[in-house]
Amino acid sequence: MIAGLARNPGRPAHPNDVDRMRIERALKSRERYRYVKASITAVAGGYLIESPCCSRNIDIEGGIIDVALLHHNSASACWQVFRKDHKKCVWKLHSTHRRLAAVTDLLNADPERVFWQ
């Protein structure tokens, strides 16, 4: 094994700054609410995406709302994407993906308008 490339088995792969920045960069290509800056925060096992509520559908004042929660399942090496049910204030599993790029593609298109509300 090449020195310095071995991953610390006691440390989880996510969150990390490299993937957080990849998500941030990818979300600049989204179709909805491109004029607001999304915030990507590291959380245990993944990332929380928040954004100002421009539509005023969730927060009449336009405050910061939850957009998506991304969790990396290390056992299956898959990404779980959760959407927020704002009426019930709970996260609901939306889909599972093998690649982070598939997750950001989904969030950027948001064809069902369940993330960027």
Side-chain angles (χ1 to χ4, degrees):
M1 177 146 312
I2 299 172
L5 292 182
R7 195 171 94 56
N8 181 348
R11 185 170 179 216
H14 297 282
N16 66 64
D17 283 339
V18 172
D19 284 324
R20 186 188 56 73
M21 288 187 287
R22 283 178 60 205
I23 296 165
E24 187 174 300
R25 192 171 39 252
L27 291 182
K28 290 179 182 176
S29 299
R30 69 185 179 270
E31 295 179 20
R32 300 188 192 286
Y33 306 118
R34 290 180 293 175
Y35 44 86
V36 296
K37 184 172 180 357
S39 169
I40 295 85
T41 306
V43 296
Y47 309 90
L48 172 65
I49 301 171
E50 299 172 303
S51 178
C53 181
C54 294
S55 69
R56 312 280 198 221
N57 290 334
I58 307 301
D59 184 338
I60 290 187
E61 311 253 329
I64 303 297
I65 62 165
D66 295 328
V67 173
L69 179 63
L70 314 180
H71 181 264
H72 187 262
N73 183 324
S74 58
S76 65
C78 287
W79 288 95
Q80 296 172 313
V81 181
F82 293 85
R83 68 173 186 83
K84 186 72 173 259
D85 181 333
H86 292 279
K87 288 182 180 165
K88 295 181 181 177
C89 267
V90 297
W91 289 105
K92 293 189 173 187
L93 180 63
H94 179 274
S95 54
T96 302
H97 305 269
R98 289 257 176 226
R99 298 178 38 242
L100 183 56
V103 172
T104 56
D105 287 349
L106 170 71
L107 294 174
N108 281 341
D110 192 17
E112 301 164 344
R113 199 173 176 210
V114 296
F115 299 106
W116 304 97
Q117 300 178 37

